[in-house]
Amino acid sequence: MTYVLGKLLHIVIVAGAALPGLAAVLVWAERRVSAFIQDRLGPNRVGPAGLLQPIADLLKFIFKEDVIPGHVNKTLYVLAPAMSLVPALVAFCVVPYARGMAIADVNVGILLVFAISSIAVYGVSIGGWAGNSKYSLLGGVRASAQMISYELALGASCVPVFLVVGELNMEAIVAWQKANGWLVFYLFPAWIIFLVSSYAETNRLPFDLPEAETELVAGYHTEYSSMKFALFFLAEYIHMITASALSVTLFFGGYELPWVTLPGGAWGTVLSGLVFFGKISFFLFLFIWVRWTLPRFRYDQLMNLGWKILFPASLVVVLATAGWIAMVTP
Amino acid sequence: MTTLFFWIFAVVVAGSALLAITRRNGVAAALWAASSFVGIAGVFVLLGAYFLAVVEVLVYAGAIMVLFLFVIMLLNLREADLKVVQGPRMHVGGAILGALFLAGLVWTCRRSGLFDVPLDAKGPVGETGAVAAPLFRDYVLPFEIVSFLLLAAMVGAVLLTKRRLS
């Protein structure tokens, strides 16, 4: 019983406070960093350095009128934002964000992340369909096509990691990297494919075709406003956090540091959590940096990159890794 | 506890499947089918087949059903378009075919002794290797032949929809 209650508390803290809180800070960081890249100041009035801006934004979202347009399919229209946010929150559960601190330390580990985030497509495509307008339908269809296409490359780019480590469990992957060095040095091409595909999976620039504002107004969430729109928005930022966490765990040693061994006990857990936070901060910054630096792909370019370059390349990397392991192992 | 969860998942699987075939709205039907797949994944978890559970969600709910949904959304069928496939003759024919299929399924399961396996018989199915060994070692030839059949079907479908080959 205490086990179940402890897990529930853990889930409430991570999914109810830590992830949305981090996403809120990320929204602020995105606005500030984009401002600096464009030689502006960005939001700096509310609280120190504008840090309370997300709270002001949240209050605005909550107090806005909750409009449900007359032409939509009501049930699915209301359900879609939740179908988008829930998988985003659940997918984080297997990530070990500090020593021994994954909510679910399961053997299939990362496959569970892929399974859950593959369900996230429903929120986006249903949101686009239920809005019953051509912009949102096109956005939804684009999003589902893009996410299915890049899922293949994303999944295949992780296979070399499993081949080298010999386990799907995330803690085991971190432990292997502690003993043998970061996997990115062994599998650099796989990491590049993983990074590019994860940008496409999270619908971030240069792959934010589903909400290309010059063609589609706002894509799948054109018909949404107030808190329902905010849920879609939150889901996107939480997907970014999960993608960064996966990149850190699979290729950059997770919560451990190279050479330095963190102390055991409670202090070790706290320190490893801080190490993990520092590492994902870099990748989150990279997401923002790329978004405000690169232009958007055209749709056919996106599909060509996914199917004709990334997917074959990931298969080649898998075969090369398998061949290398077969040669090395007696 | 396990029995309770089994019944919850069983109700989800059967209920969603029933809703999936009775909805008039294609999108709703596809969503109920996806919910049924997630329920099946739950049953796999109870049996200790974690890898299969994850693959069930990843492949069926996450990829195949999304493609179905995709087509339904693009076609955007109206009630009038569905008249062609409705009517008593279709219902009776469908019922007979369905009953035959169910009978064949039950007969095969009986013959292979699948019904005699107790529910809590936990083999090494949770391991990824236990799934990989039959697929890539013991039955590698049939497995590859099946994948070629699927490929042939896919190429055929693409060929049929192309108006002009250039």
Side-chain angles (χ1 to χ4, degrees):
Chain A
M1 202 61 201
T2 39
Y3 174 80
V4 174
L5 283 180
K7 279 288 173 199
L8 280 179
L9 190 68
H10 196 173
I11 293 169
V12 167
I13 290 171
V14 170
L19 283 176
L22 190 56
V25 175
L26 198 56
V27 175
W28 169 82
E30 172 122 51
R31 294 179 68 181
R32 290 291 282 185
V33 172
S34 69
F36 286 128
I37 289 174
Q38 296 174 336
D39 203 16
R40 300 183 281 121
L41 279 174
N44 64 349
R45 298 285 120 179
V46 193
L51 254 174
L52 296 180
Q53 184 70 36
I55 296 174
D57 285 343
L58 179 71
L59 285 176
K60 189 187 80 176
F61 276 129
I62 290 175
F63 286 115
K64 260 189 163 182
E65 189 189 349
D66 187 27
V67 184
I68 297 182
H71 58 270
V72 301
N73 181 327
K74 235 183 214 158
T75 322
L76 293 178
Y77 179 85
V78 175
L79 209 59
M83 284 164 80
S84 184
L85 182 62
V86 169
L89 288 170
V90 177
F92 196 80
C93 69
V94 292
V95 175
Y97 59 87
R99 194 177 279 164
M101 287 299 274
I103 292 176
D105 182 22
V106 287
N107 277 332
V108 281
I110 180 150
L111 281 182
L112 195 65
V113 180
F114 288 150
I116 293 163
S117 41
S118 72
I119 289 185
V121 189
Y122 283 107
V124 173
S125 53
I126 290 296
W129 184 81
N132 199 11
S133 88
K134 37 180 164 311
Y135 296 123
S136 47
L137 179 67
L138 277 175
V141 167
R142 268 190 188 186
S144 34
Q146 177 179 334
M147 285 163 102
I148 293 173
S149 306
Y150 278 79
E151 227 168 57
L152 290 171
L154 190 74
S157 70
C158 295
V159 173
V161 174
F162 311 147
L163 286 173
V164 171
V165 178
E167 293 246 23
L168 294 171
N169 184 298
M170 305 271 261
E171 295 272 4
I173 293 170
V174 173
W176 190 94
Q177 292 183 88
K178 178 68 189 157
N180 302 294
W182 290 358
L183 273 163
V184 66
F185 298 122
Y186 300 82
L187 300 166
F188 187 71
W191 175 65
I192 293 290
I193 297 169
F194 179 87
L195 191 74
V196 176
S197 315
S198 64
Y199 278 53
E201 280 290 300
T202 47
N203 292 333
R204 291 282 296 187
L205 263 164
F207 306 111
D208 71 336
L209 278 295
E211 41 179 293
E213 62 270 16
T214 43
E215 316 152 29
L216 295 179
V217 189
Y220 58 87
H221 51 59
T222 305
E223 302 292 327
Y224 284 90
S225 62
S226 68
M227 209 52 208
K228 293 201 190 68
F229 163 74
L231 292 187
F232 276 123
F233 199 61
L234 195 61
E236 178 182 323
Y237 280 87
I238 291 171
H239 274 304
M240 275 166 67
I241 297 170
T242 309
S244 306
L246 286 185
S247 207
V248 166
T249 310
L250 293 181
F251 294 99
F252 288 86
Y255 50 74
E256 296 281 1
L257 281 174
W259 300 300
V260 187
T261 304
L262 297 172
W267 274 112
T269 312
V270 172
L271 281 176
S272 64
L274 287 176
V275 167
F276 189 79
F277 183 72
K279 284 182 184 175
I280 66 166
S281 300
F282 171 75
F283 283 97
L284 291 172
F285 176 73
L286 195 67
F287 264 110
I288 297 170
W289 190 10
V290 167
R291 170 166 178 189
W292 297 94
T293 312
L294 295 181
R296 182 180 296 135
F297 272 63
R298 218 174 50 219
Y299 198 68
D300 58 318
Q301 293 172 329
L302 172 93
M303 282 296 153
N304 276 344
L305 180 71
W307 286 102
K308 294 185 181 163
I309 301 173
L310 286 183
F311 183 52
S314 60
L315 289 185
V316 168
V317 173
V318 170
L319 281 179
T321 316
W324 172 49
I325 290 170
M327 297 239 279
V328 177
T329 36
Chain B
M1 200 67 172
T2 314
T3 326
L4 177 71
F5 274 105
F6 172 77
W7 281 109
I8 292 174
F9 287 131
V11 167
V12 168
V13 171
S16 312
L18 204 65
L19 283 166
I21 56 171
T22 48
R23 292 305 89 186
R24 293 189 97 81
N25 183 338
V27 173
L31 283 178
W32 281 116
S35 145
S36 168
F37 292 141
V38 175
I40 292 173
V43 177
F44 275 137
V45 169
L46 290 184
L47 291 172
Y50 306 119
F51 183 74
L52 284 183
V54 166
V55 170
E56 173 82 25
V57 175
L58 188 65
V59 175
Y60 285 93
I64 294 180
M65 235 31 234
V66 173
L67 288 177
F68 266 83
L69 198 65
F70 199 75
V71 175
I72 294 169
M73 275 163 50
L74 278 180
L75 288 178
N76 213 0
L77 291 173
R78 278 176 295 271
E79 280 283 308
D81 302 322
L82 292 170
K83 283 275 164 9
V84 193
V85 288
Q86 280 167 352
R89 213 184 294 170
M90 278 289 178
H91 287 165
V92 172
I96 291 172
L97 267 182
L100 276 177
F101 181 72
L102 188 67
L105 203 65
V106 170
W107 186 72
T108 320
C109 288
R110 249 174 199 259
R111 266 187 68 104
S112 65
L114 202 67
F115 284 156
D116 307 329
V117 180
L119 248 186
D120 52 350
K122 288 202 173 135
V125 274
E127 300 299 318
T128 322
V131 179
L135 276 187
F136 293 110
R137 197 186 300 135
D138 307 345
Y139 300 103
V140 68
L141 191 66
F143 180 60
E144 292 301 316
I145 292 173
V146 166
S147 64
F148 255 94
L149 272 179
L150 287 176
L151 183 69
M154 207 156 69
V155 171
V158 171
L159 200 73
L160 283 176
T161 49
K162 279 233 167 183
R163 295 237 170 81
R164 217 182 32 242
L165 291 170
S166 52

